[in-house]
Amino acid sequence: MDWIADIRLTDGPVYWAAWVLGSTAALSLVWRPRALGRRWFLSVAAAVAAAAVVVLLVHWVLIYWASTFPEELPFDVLAWVFSAVAALLLVLLRLRTASWRRRALDVLALLAVVLLAVVQINAYFGLNRTVADLTGTALSRVPALEQELMRQPNSPATSLDGWKPASELPADGALRTASIPGTSSGLQARDSYIYLPPAYFASNRPSLPVLVLVPGQPGGPADWLTGGSLPARMDSFAARHGGVAPVVVVVDPNGSQSANNLCMDSAIAQADTYLAVDVPAWISGTLDVDSDHRQWAIGGFSFGATCAVQMATRHPELYTGVLAFSSENEPALAKERQKTVDAAFRGDTAAFDAQIPLTLLKERKYPGSVAYFAAGATDPEFVANLRTLEAAARGAGFTVGSDVVAHTGHSWDVLTPGMDNGLELLAAQWGWAK
């Protein structure tokens, strides 16, 4: 049944079938040949207006009252939610006068419109690209990190400078899972995912650079494998560099799908300590990697990008490179800044301001650090963030690269071409040649 797991959800037959069925179903709900007239059109207009009011009201409550998300949802997402709500209201509008057969057909039409909305929202974010991504079946087969792949006591460090493999390397890298305990931070993190490049499997294994990746929020480490297509992207990079690529560790500074620890040490959690103490200690003690932190970088998407910029500006001695895909200017729990300050620092704005990247980029210099920023062209708020962070980082001494990705919103699709360009910027900083 692997063919089912491989079915594409963001393009291909299922995607277009949802388009055709959903569009036809929407038309069937609006068009009533026997009831066409001023009264029916007014009823449809009322249902559409009511759907718009409901969606905008719920969105306002989620953002400004319940503080479920720190940023407004993208227009595309709201538009597809609106289409599903409008379809529901049209079905309810016809329910009283319709026959049982008509009611059944209307319910099927509603389901088709809802399916189309779900498929389109998933495609917008680029998260679950296949059925396997959606069900998690592929991720459940990722094995735990074996003892033979861990750093061996007193093993000699083999420099990557001038290194050549002693034998043929595998064509692709490998994924493993591991638990990184919050020994110093007390954080209860979900399992991390580790990408080991082909060079890691050489008999004369070199000391490889490190790339720590942080997922978005809501979300988890697995998102980097599904929406981020991490294995394929890293294998492609390794193929251009003779099997050499960073060891990638996808970590979890939040502990759950909905938690937001702000990547700070605050009244909420000791997330900074987890990423600055627990994670580096575990990586250095467990994996064969370069001990020189000039060869370490951190990256992320959305919340994870904000987190990466925070860590690179607070701890340049640990992470001298940063890849930030769709970053905020500063961490946030809510659209209203004071709510974040109150929850994390008990109302102490100065304590919060002292830790955010824009403050640090004004106060410090970062010679030898490199930053790459990317955002979708149809995601204007985050393009503005990119411009602000890019200018501040360049002014603080970072070597900076950036891309505004055409025809892309707040989506994992920013990683195309963002991930390749960001990795090549790191490679240049690390002194690699293709």
Side-chain angles (χ1 to χ4, degrees), residues 42 52 153 196 310 326 397 401:
L42 287 175
L196 302 172
Q310 290 173 254
S326 302

Side-chain angles (χ1 to χ4, degrees), residues 198-209:
Y200 198 89
F201 296 89
S203 56
N204 58 333
R205 181 186 299 163
S207 297
L208 293 165

Side-chain angles (χ1 to χ4, degrees), residues 212 237 264 308 359 370 431:
V212 173
F237 177 83
M264 289 176 157
T359 299
V370 59

Side-chain angles (χ1 to χ4, degrees), residues 3-380:
W3 67 271
I4 295 178
D6 293 336
I7 292 174
R8 300 278 301 175
L9 299 178
T10 55
D11 50 36
V14 170
Y15 176 86
W16 291 111
W19 252 118
V20 172
L21 290 174
S23 301
T24 304
L27 183 61
S28 75
L29 291 174
V30 173
W31 189 261
R32 293 184 65 187
R34 294 181 182 179
L36 288 178
R38 186 168 178 270
R39 182 177 179 182
W40 173 246
F41 282 116
L42 287 175
S43 298
V44 171
V48 169
V53 170
V54 168
V55 170
L56 292 175
L57 179 61
V58 171
H59 181 250
W60 184 90
V61 169
L62 290 175
I63 302 299
Y64 294 98
W65 185 72
S67 301
T68 304
F69 306 107
E71 305 292 342
E72 293 182 355
L73 294 176
F75 173 81
D76 299 56
V77 173
L78 293 177
W80 285 111
V81 173
F82 160 78
S83 70
V85 174
L88 172 62
L89 294 180
L90 286 171
V91 169
L92 294 176
L93 191 66
R94 296 159 59 138
L95 198 61
R96 185 174 60 86
T97 59
S99 65
W100 283 106
R101 178 178 176 276
R102 183 71 257 177
R103 291 174 184 176
L105 291 174
D106 283 352
V107 170
L108 290 176
L110 171 62
L111 293 176
V113 174
V114 170
L115 174 64
L116 174 60
V118 170
V119 167
Q120 289 299 317
I121 291 171
N122 177 65
Y124 174 86
F125 288 116
L127 182 56
N128 296 301
R129 300 181 186 277
T130 67
V131 171
D133 292 344
L134 182 64
T135 60
T137 52
L139 299 176
S140 65
R141 293 195 289 266
V142 177
L145 183 69
E146 304 96 321
Q147 185 66 40
E148 57 266 26
L149 294 178
M150 298 182 186
R151 177 188 290 276
Q152 302 304 312
N154 303 317
S155 59
T158 302
S159 173
L160 191 56
D161 186 29
W163 174 83
K164 297 291 183 183
S167 57
E168 186 176 358
L169 298 177
D172 299 324
L175 284 174
R176 294 294 186 268
T177 62
S179 175
I180 302 181
T183 306
S184 297
S185 64
L187 196 70
Q188 299 295 314
R190 290 165 289 181
D191 281 354
S192 295
Y193 289 94
I194 303 155
Y195 170 83
L196 302 172
Y200 198 89
F201 296 89
S203 56
N204 58 333
R205 181 186 299 163
S207 297
L208 293 165
V210 173
L211 174 60
V212 173
L213 291 177
V214 184
Q217 188 280 331
D223 295 348
W224 265 102
L225 278 61
T226 55
S229 302
L230 180 68
R233 296 185 193 280
M234 296 309 302
D235 283 342
S236 175
F237 177 83
R240 299 195 301 271
H241 293 273
V244 175
V247 169
V248 182
V249 184
V250 187
V251 299
D252 173 34
N254 285 326
S256 73
Q257 189 79 2
S258 59
N260 185 345
N261 290 338
L262 297 174
C263 283
M264 289 176 157
D265 283 352
S266 72
I268 298 172
Q270 302 298 296
D272 178 273
T273 298
Y274 183 72
L275 292 170
V277 178
D278 294 328
V279 168
W282 184 89
I283 293 173
S284 297
T286 307
L287 302 171
D288 271 320
V289 296
D290 201 323
S291 60
D292 183 354
H293 281 261
R294 290 175 296 180
Q295 304 286 306
W296 286 46
I298 187 167
F301 170 71
S302 192
F303 163 89
T306 312
C307 180
V309 176
Q310 290 173 254
M311 298 308 297
T313 51
R314 281 203 299 265
H315 301 285
E317 76 285 358
L318 296 176
Y319 304 108
T320 56
V322 57
L323 305 180
F325 305 102
S326 302
S327 176
E328 301 162 288
N329 282 336
E330 63 184 36
L333 293 173
K335 190 71 174 174
E336 185 181 341
R337 191 175 194 256
Q338 192 60 43
K339 290 183 178 181
T340 301
V341 175
D342 290 345
F345 292 93
R346 298 185 175 89
D348 188 344
T349 302
F352 176 76
D353 286 342
Q355 293 198 41
I356 64 174
L358 291 177
T359 299
L360 297 173
L361 289 168
K362 288 178 181 178
E363 296 176 348
R364 301 180 184 180
K365 294 297 181 183
Y366 298 84
S369 289
V370 59
Y372 174 82
F373 302 98
T378 59
D379 192 14

